[in-house]
Amino acid sequence: MGGDAGIPVKLLYEAEGMKVTIEMKNGEIYRGMLITAEDTMNMTLSDVVRTARNGQVSKCPSVYLRGGSVRFIALPDLLKNAPVFKKIITLKKKAEAERTAAVGAGAKRKRD
């Protein structure tokens, strides 16, 4: 996992080992266990059920999906409590406190 990855990618890493649903830009839908994810949102799924645009359903033991072709990723509700969100809340509170302190310091300054 890269240190410079954005929040969506970090959340995708948190979903490794869970069932996910991926909708591709071409309309195909893949549902399976997320095995690996990359910074580019390329992913490997196992025990996959693929639904084609025409509704035809097929099963695949594993698939590799290119991140640039992904339209939408449905993650499990369990990830609402992911550690990455707690870090975001902490960073927002810290930034707000710094902003408040900067505004407070600026207001007290006297101009000659």
Side-chain angles (χ1 to χ4, degrees), residues 16 54 58 61 64 72-73 89 91 95 98 108 110:
E16 287 180 348
N54 64 6
S58 58
Y64 183 80
F72 182 80
I73 303 172
I89 291 169
L91 289 172
E98 288 173 358
K108 294 177 185 176
K110 292 184 179 179

Side-chain angles (χ1 to χ4, degrees), residues 74-93:
L75 300 171
D77 287 340
L78 176 70
L79 290 174
K80 288 180 182 176
N81 301 321
V84 70
F85 287 129
K86 291 178 180 153
K87 290 177 187 172
I88 294 167
I89 291 169
T90 303
L91 289 172
K92 279 187 176 181
K93 286 181 181 177

Side-chain angles (χ1 to χ4, degrees), residues 3-104:
D4 58 346
I7 293 163
V9 174
K10 288 180 181 177
L11 192 59
L12 191 59
Y13 288 132
E14 294 281 340
E16 287 180 348
M18 299 181 185
K19 282 269 191 191
V20 296
T21 303
I22 315 291
E23 182 177 331
M24 306 302 284
K25 289 181 180 177
N26 66 5
E28 294 178 339
I29 298 173
Y30 295 85
R31 177 161 175 74
M33 182 77 65
L34 180 62
I35 302 301
T36 59
E38 302 173 12
D39 286 354
T40 57
M41 287 193 171
N42 295 341
M43 316 167 230
T44 304
L45 302 178
S46 69
D47 301 324
V48 180
V49 176
R50 175 186 166 263
T51 306
R53 290 174 56 184
N54 64 6
Q56 181 182 358
V57 176
S58 58
K59 293 185 179 181
C60 306
S62 68
V63 295
Y64 183 80
L65 303 174
R66 186 170 181 267
S69 300
V70 172
R71 174 181 294 146
F72 182 80
I73 303 172
L75 300 171
D77 287 340
L78 176 70
L79 290 174
K80 288 180 182 176
N81 301 321
V84 70
F85 287 129
K86 291 178 180 153
K87 290 177 187 172
I88 294 167
I89 291 169
T90 303
L91 289 172
K92 279 187 176 181
K93 286 181 181 177
K94 185 177 177 183
E96 184 63 31
E98 288 173 358
R99 224 178 291 128
T100 303
V103 169

